[in-house]
């Protein structure tokens, strides 16, 4: 422990020597800022143009990130929060901690229109059930999945953002019939895990035929592992989207720099990093500039998404439906 | 005797003071969360269902862990065989593994695509399904059986060899041994061991959800997660935290009442003797117990190692740095844990009616890591950057988490030492440090080594608090493993898991050496 303290002291002194450059603090989720995530490349690219010191602070996943902001309140050191999704933004805005960004979003390539004054998107994806390509009779809808004897692993909406996404997907696609769909799925669900990682590992270990993930997951296997054995099942009712966003904190001491970062986020320098590090679609990069391999992914015909306010309103009722349908 | 015992010596003051401090360190964060909450909270029907499920699964897990541990501990106490030390260390491994690694190991054996189902289908038999309450209990027994075995084994090994020799001279049969030695010692050790495991299982979250199969398998800890992450309802999170403490206190009170302290008489620390009343039936039972436990505990580990051993060679550099950080935190946390546990154990053992203090130690298992982490965050935030303190806080919390295990191992040994050597030391007028060093500490060597090793290994595998405070550059090994999983790098994550397993076992082995030297003699 003494070594840790000494190391911490040295780090602080080193930080003091560099203190001339303004520090821009970005709160994000864990996987964004690892050696394999977008963080290091984004930091290098932005520091090359901003004359500043970009620092990432990480906290769990998107939901944990929001909890962290709420705990810290107005005194937070954060200038930017990066990594909430549209299911969480209404709650974030309600805290009063998020300022309007004032950036004119240009060149967005999302499949939906964007006019949120508080948040700008940096990437997006469709939730989907991923399976091996040799799976016979992959289902084409939740109803077909429920009728089949295929096994799936999903995530708990109370502890993971993809789990919440699935909840809203079924709700959006089936409305009042959501409970019925969940009851039909009950015997297909092998288990429900606390987070995405556990689910995906169970799937890779052969515990289930399919796993709730993203349409872009097969791109990882294809590009990073050169394995084309994975694909996602296209569903006729459409696929719920996850749009990951960033916003400026109202109490930022670097509001101008923070806005510069949001504008930079939508430029090619940032956007080109996203697909093969975060394994999502870039939010402001035309399809012809996507990395090779992304053209092999399935293209859902219908994009499903609730407004942030709608998502916040129906969340509790959808959870209650899910709980009662799967607890019988 | 009673009069002497009630006089407070300096070591008692230290013990009582530290116990109070530990209490404060655990309940302070809970209070902090409660005070930050807006408005009163109440528990809904779903929360009551969670409490019910928590009690049921933790109760079953504790009962089965302890029941299966008895024959294994007895066999290990009675038998000498080649590789016994290795066996004892290896079978201890599940307890110190991060939960998800243990679960994946179990699934490799018992899962749908596991070895067992492959074998069953090859024989034309139906498949078994690990998901559901049965799977939760199976995983908890896998994780906690090693602890139960070691705690019970400590009690067996504490039998003075002089008394065993006397039993041999008197021609005790197997049944005589059971009646005069084994049942009394089990009566003393079982309630405490069951309590520890029950409490560990009450805060289970990832195991219960992953193997429980869905919302039915909601534990109190997951309800706290939901209150905090899904609803940001700090009041409800704190209230549920209080519920966990209440469960802990109630269970502790029952267990302490059930435990009967019976000193086994004085001994001179000679090495254990051959077991009186040994016969063929006893040998077969012991063989089955050891082989069964070995297969159950080691096969899943073998599966984990098989999956990840190759990947160790190509692990990214960041994983090695994370490993180094984890080892340093584990050493610090182990030292702190011993420094806290020893005075408290001596205080508890030093007089009648102090058993309640031991409960303080148990609080730290029952308190939700999420609530403690959040509470510490709230407390630290106004005065310092919690992220900069993430590693020291992790060390501190891990020390507190390990405390009950150390107490569990130390208190009976300290009581025995007081009851046997203490009287002699008093008669000789030994006081203070000399009394401690010459009369008491030598009797505590074995549980101390075991406890320190457990604390270190436990800290290695812990993910609880660091996840809340983590700075990107300060990840511990378990956290780095989760990050690899989150980045699709399953092979690297499996490699990191094997590294984690190796380091945890290594630390445990080094600390526990003292214990094993005696145990194997």
């Amino acid at each position: 422990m003494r070594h840790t303290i000494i190391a911490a002291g040295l780090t602080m002194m080193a930080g003091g020597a560099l203190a001339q450059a303004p520090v821009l603090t970005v709160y994000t989720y864990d996987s964004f800022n690892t050696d394999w995530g977008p963080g290091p490349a984004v930091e290098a690219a932005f520091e090359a143009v901003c004359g500043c010191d970009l620092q990432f602070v990480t906290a769990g996943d998107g939901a944990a990130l929001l909890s962290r902001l709420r705990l810290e309140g107005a005194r937070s050191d954060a200038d930017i929060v990066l990594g909430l999704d549209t299911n969480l933004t209404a709650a974030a805005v309600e805290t009063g901690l998020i300022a309007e960004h004032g950036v004119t979003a240009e060149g967005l390539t999302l499949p939906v229109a964007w006019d949120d004054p508080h948040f700008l998107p940096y990437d997006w994806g469709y939730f989907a059930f991923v399976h091996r390509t040799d799976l016979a009779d992959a289902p084409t809808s939740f109803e077909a999945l429920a009728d089949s004897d295929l096994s799936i692993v999903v995530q708990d909406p109370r502890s993971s953002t993809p789990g919440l996404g699935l909840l809203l997907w079924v709700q959006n696609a089936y409305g009042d019939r959501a409970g019925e769909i969940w009851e039909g799925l009950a015997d297909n669900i092998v288990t429900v895990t606390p987070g995405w990682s556990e689910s995906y590992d169970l799937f890779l270990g052969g515990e289930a035929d399919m796993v709730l993930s993203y349409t872009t997951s097969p791109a990882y296997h294809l590009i990073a592992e050169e394995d084309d054995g994975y694909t996602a099942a296209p569903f006729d009712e459409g696929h719920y989207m996850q749009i990951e966003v960033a916003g400026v904190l109202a109490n930022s001491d670097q509001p101008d720099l923070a806005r510069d970062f949001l504008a930079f986020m939508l430029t090619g320098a940032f956007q080109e990093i996203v697909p093969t590090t975060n394994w999502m679609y870039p939010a402001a990069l035309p399809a012809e500039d996507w990395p090779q391999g992304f053209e092999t992914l399935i293209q859902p015909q219908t994009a499903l998404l609730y407004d942030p306010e709608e998502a916040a309103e129906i969340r509790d009722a959808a959870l209650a439906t899910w709980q009662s349908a799967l607890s019988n | 005797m009673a009069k002497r015992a009630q006089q407070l010596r300096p070591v008692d003051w230290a013990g009582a003071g530290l116990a109070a401090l530990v209490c404060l360190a655990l309940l302070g964060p809970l209070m902090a969360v409660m005070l930050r909450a807006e408005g009163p909270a109440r528990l809904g029907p779903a929360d009551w269902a969670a409490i019910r499920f928590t009690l049921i699964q933790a109760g079953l897990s504790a009962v089965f862990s302890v029941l299966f541990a008895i024959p294994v501990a007895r066999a290990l106490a009675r038998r000498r065989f080649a590789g016994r030390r290795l066996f004892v260390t290896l079978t201890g491994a599940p307890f110190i593994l991060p939960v998800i690694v243990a679960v994946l190991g179990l699934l490799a054996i018992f899962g749908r695509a596991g070895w067992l189902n492959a074998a069953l289908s090859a024989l034309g038999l139906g498949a078994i399904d690990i998901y559901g309450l049965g799977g939760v209990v199976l995983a908890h027994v896998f994780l906690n059986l090693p602890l139960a075995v070691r705690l019970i084994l400590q009690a067996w090994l504490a039998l003075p060899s002089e008394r065993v020799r006397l039993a041999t001279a008197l021609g005790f049969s197997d049944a005589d041994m059971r009646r005069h030695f084994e049942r009394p010692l089990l009566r003393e050790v079982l309630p405490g061991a069951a309590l520890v495991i029950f409490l560990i299982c009450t805060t289970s979250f990832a195991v219960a959800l992953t193997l429980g199969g869905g919302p039915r398998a909601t534990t109190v800890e997951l309800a706290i997660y939901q209150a905090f992450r899904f609803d940001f309802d700090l009041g409800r999170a704190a209230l549920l935290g209080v519920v966990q403490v209440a469960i802990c206190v109630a269970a502790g009170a029952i267990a302490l009442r059930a435990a009967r302290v019976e000193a086994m008489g004085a001994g001179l620390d000679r090495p254990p003797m051959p077991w009186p009343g040994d016969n063929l039936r006893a040998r077969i039972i012991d063989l089955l117990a050891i082989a069964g436990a070995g297969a159950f505990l080691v096969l899943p580990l073998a599966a984990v190692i098989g999956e990840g051993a190759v990947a160790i060679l190509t692990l990214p550099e960041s994983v090695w740095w994370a490993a180094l950080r984890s080892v340093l935190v584990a050493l610090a946390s182990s030292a702190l844990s011993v420094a806290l546990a020893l005075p408290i154990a001596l205080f508890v053992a030093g007089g009648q009616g102090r058993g309640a203090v031991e409960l303080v130690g148990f609080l730290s298992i029952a308190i939700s890591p999420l609530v403690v982490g959040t509470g510490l965050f709230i407390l630290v935030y106004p005065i310092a950057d919690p992220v900069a303190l993430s590693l020291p806080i992790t060390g501190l919390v891990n020390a507190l988490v390990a405390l009950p295990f150390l107490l569990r191992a130390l208190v009976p040994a300290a009581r025995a030492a007081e009851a046997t050597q203490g009287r002699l030391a008093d008669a000789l007028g030994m006081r203070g440090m000399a009394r401690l060093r010459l009369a008491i500490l030598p009797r505590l060597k074995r549980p101390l080594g075991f406890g320190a090793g457990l604390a270190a290994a436990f800290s290695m595998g812990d993910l609880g608090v660091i996840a809340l405070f983590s700075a990107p550059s300060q990840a511990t090994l378990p956290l780095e493993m989760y990050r690899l999983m989150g980045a699709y790098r399953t092979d690297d994550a499996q490699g990191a898991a094997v590294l984690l397993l190796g380091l945890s076992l290594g630390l445990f082995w080094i600390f526990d050496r003292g214990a094993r030297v005696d145990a194997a003699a």
Side-chain angles (χ1 to χ4, degrees):
Chain A
M1 191 137 92
R2 172 172 293 169
H3 287 96
T4 315
I5 293 168
I6 294 170
L10 290 174
T11 313
M12 270 189 266
M13 282 160 61
L18 294 171
Q20 283 78 2
V23 174
L24 185 68
T25 306
V26 178
Y27 278 23
T28 187
Y29 47 75
D30 268 344
S31 65
F32 191 88
N33 193 44
T34 63
D35 288 356
W36 325 281
V42 165
E43 184 178 344
F46 189 59
E47 284 180 353
V49 294
C50 73
C52 69
D53 178 10
L54 180 69
Q55 292 185 358
F56 287 109
V57 172
T58 58
D61 69 355
L65 197 52
L66 180 56
S67 297
R68 174 76 170 265
L69 285 179
R70 285 167 138 173
L71 273 181
E72 295 190 350
R75 290 178 46 250
S76 175
D77 286 337
D79 299 303
I80 286 173
V81 56
L82 181 151
L84 303 179
D85 68 18
T86 51
N87 301 325
L88 297 169
T89 50
V93 170
E94 203 182 315
T95 62
L97 296 171
I98 309 293
E100 298 200 357
H101 54 71
V103 176
T104 314
E106 281 170 9
L108 288 182
T109 52
L110 292 171
V112 293
W114 190 266
D115 58 357
D116 188 323
H118 291 92
F119 290 99
L120 284 173
Y122 62 92
D123 69 14
W124 62 281
Y126 293 108
F127 293 112
F129 286 93
V130 169
H131 60 87
R132 301 278 323 185
T133 43
D134 56 13
L135 181 74
D137 301 326
T140 53
S141 69
F142 277 107
E143 285 174 312
L145 175 59
D147 289 340
S148 75
D149 52 8
L150 292 170
S151 56
I152 57 174
V153 267
V154 299
Q155 298 97 46
D156 196 304
R158 296 168 292 179
S159 54
S160 87
T161 42
L164 181 57
L166 176 63
L167 195 67
L168 297 175
W169 183 5
V170 173
Q171 195 68 39
N172 191 305
Y174 290 94
D176 292 343
R177 288 186 56 219
E180 186 190 317
I181 294 293
W182 281 115
E183 278 167 26
L185 289 173
D187 61 350
N188 300 93
I189 297 175
V190 172
T191 198
V192 180
T193 66
W196 175 91
S197 305
E198 292 92 344
S199 281
Y200 211 79
D201 236 46
L202 291 187
F203 163 68
L204 292 178
E207 288 298 303
D209 298 318
M210 309 174 90
V211 58
L212 178 77
S213 190
Y214 297 90
T215 58
T216 41
S217 299
Y220 172 80
H221 298 287
L222 181 68
I223 296 170
E225 297 180 338
E226 297 177 358
D227 178 354
D228 60 0
Y230 295 87
T231 187
F235 276 18
D236 298 336
E237 56 266 61
H239 288 246
Y240 198 77
M241 293 176 67
Q242 180 172 43
I243 303 178
E244 297 197 290
V245 302
V248 178
L249 273 291
N251 291 295
S252 165
D253 53 0
Q254 301 286 348
D256 295 334
L257 200 51
R259 266 189 285 277
D260 289 348
F261 181 83
L262 285 204
F264 171 79
M265 191 174 79
L266 298 179
T267 64
F270 181 112
Q271 290 289 309
E272 280 163 14
I273 297 168
V274 165
T276 54
T277 52
N278 228 27
W279 302 102
M280 299 279 276
Y281 286 116
L285 199 66
E288 58 266 26
D289 293 339
W290 293 350
Q292 204 183 350
F294 270 62
E295 74 286 352
T296 63
L297 302 173
I298 63 155
Q299 288 299 325
Q301 296 305 306
T302 314
L304 307 176
L305 188 67
Y306 283 114
D307 289 345
E309 293 73 23
E310 278 178 303
E313 268 169 36
I314 64 161
R315 204 188 57 143
D316 290 341
L319 182 71
T321 307
W322 175 84
Q323 265 173 311
S324 72
L326 292 185
S327 291
N328 294 326
Chain B
M1 164 117 183
K3 196 163 174 236
R4 172 194 67 79
Q6 295 309 322
Q7 281 172 354
L8 284 181
R9 302 158 296 172
V11 62
D12 289 334
W13 285 110
L18 285 176
L21 210 62
V22 166
C23 212
L24 192 68
L26 292 167
L27 295 179
L30 188 60
M31 294 285 291
V33 176
M34 218 179 292
L35 291 176
R36 256 302 283 281
E38 290 154 9
R42 47 189 292 274
L43 301 178
D47 296 321
W48 288 108
I51 293 170
R52 217 163 32 240
F53 178 78
T54 303
L55 293 176
I56 291 170
Q57 60 84 9
L60 288 175
S61 303
V63 167
F64 283 112
S65 298
V66 168
L67 277 185
F68 292 139
I70 295 171
V72 183
R74 183 167 66 172
L76 287 172
R78 305 201 288 204
R79 302 296 153 202
R80 306 282 167 265
F81 54 90
R84 182 173 170 279
R85 296 174 180 193
L86 185 69
F87 180 87
V88 171
T89 304
L90 262 187
T91 52
F95 186 65
I96 53 193
L97 275 180
V99 158
I100 188 63
V101 179
V103 168
L104 292 175
L106 276 179
L107 287 173
I109 308 299
F110 298 97
R112 299 183 154 220
W115 299 356
L116 187 60
N117 274 329
L120 286 174
S121 89
L123 295 171
L125 297 169
I128 56 149
D129 186 6
I130 193 184
Y131 300 98
L133 181 61
V136 176
V137 174
L138 177 82
H140 282 157
V141 171
F142 174 73
L143 290 165
N144 294 301
L145 181 64
L147 178 68
V149 168
R150 288 304 297 265
L151 289 176
I152 299 172
L153 182 59
Q154 294 289 349
W156 237 292
L157 294 178
L159 274 185
S161 54
E162 291 79 1
R163 313 239 8 215
V164 179
R165 195 211 299 257
L166 181 63
T168 311
L170 292 173
F172 270 31
S173 69
D174 204 21
D176 292 333
M177 288 304 289
R178 271 203 293 280
R179 188 167 66 245
H180 291 289
F181 290 105
E182 297 178 337
R183 278 190 206 137
L185 81 83
L186 285 177
R187 231 183 352 251
E188 184 179 345
V189 75
L190 287 190
L195 171 65
V196 172
I197 293 168
F198 175 84
L199 293 178
I200 295 172
C201 296
T202 55
T203 56
S204 169
F205 155 49
V207 167
L209 192 55
T210 305
L211 291 176
R216 260 167 313 196
T218 297
T219 57
V220 177
E221 187 69 21
L222 176 59
I224 291 175
Y225 228 79
Q226 178 187 355
F228 182 65
R229 296 262 300 259
F230 191 84
D231 302 325
F232 200 71
D233 185 345
L234 290 181
R236 213 173 112 240
L239 190 58
L240 288 163
V242 171
V243 167
Q244 290 210 17
V245 171
I247 292 174
C248 158
V249 171
I254 295 168
L256 282 181
R257 181 161 301 187
R260 274 208 263 149
V261 183
E262 290 180 37
M264 277 293 160
L268 294 172
D269 290 345
R270 291 212 185 83
M273 306 262 306
W275 202 252
D278 203 7
N279 56 35
L280 184 65
R281 186 169 154 269
R283 278 168 206 243
I284 291 174
I285 291 175
D286 286 355
L287 181 71
L288 288 177
I290 288 174
F296 177 56
L297 295 173
V298 172
L299 282 181
L301 299 177
V304 169
I305 294 170
E307 296 274 327
V310 180
I312 278 200
L313 302 172
T314 53
L315 282 178
E317 193 189 316
S318 61
V319 175
W320 294 101
W321 284 109
L324 180 65
R325 269 188 295 273
S326 277
V327 169
L328 293 176
V329 170
L331 291 176
S333 138
S334 172
L336 186 57
S337 208
V338 168
L340 287 171
L342 189 56
I344 295 180
L346 292 174
F347 173 74
V348 172
Q352 300 292 316
R354 293 179 184 171
V357 174
E358 209 186 331
L359 268 184
V360 169
F362 288 123
L363 275 182
S364 58
I365 324 185
I367 281 188
S368 155
L370 196 64
V371 172
V372 173
T374 306
L376 282 175
F377 192 98
I378 293 170
L379 289 173
V380 167
Y381 189 66
I383 42 176
D385 178 6
V387 174
L389 294 174
S390 65
L391 289 181
I393 287 177
T394 306
L396 171 69
V397 173
N398 285 334
L400 291 177
V401 167
L403 192 57
F405 306 106
L406 269 155
L407 285 179
R408 201 57 247 152
L410 279 177
V411 167
R415 277 209 180 104
E418 276 294 340
T420 57
Q421 316 300 331
R423 230 175 331 178
L424 178 64
D426 289 340
L428 293 173
M430 278 161 85
R431 311 194 47 166
M433 283 310 287
R435 182 179 192 277
L436 191 63
R437 193 165 51 83
L438 296 172
I440 307 295
L441 278 187
R443 311 299 304 249
L444 298 184
K445 211 170 58 182
R446 193 151 50 200
L448 265 182
F450 165 67
L454 205 56
F458 207 62
S459 169
M460 276 302 294
D462 175 67
L463 184 70
V465 179
I466 186 79
L468 265 183
F469 288 88
S470 71
S473 56
Q474 297 193 343
T476 55
L477 188 50
L479 185 60
E480 195 72 1
M481 193 194 89
Y482 262 87
R483 287 179 173 175
L484 285 163
M485 282 173 81
Y488 290 94
R489 284 175 163 70
T490 313
D491 291 348
D492 285 340
Q494 284 167 341
V498 175
L499 180 62
L500 185 57
L501 177 61
L503 287 173
S504 302
L505 269 183
L507 279 179
F508 181 71
W509 183 79
I510 290 168
F511 278 106
D512 195 38
R513 259 176 89 166
R516 287 180 314 105
V517 167
D518 283 357

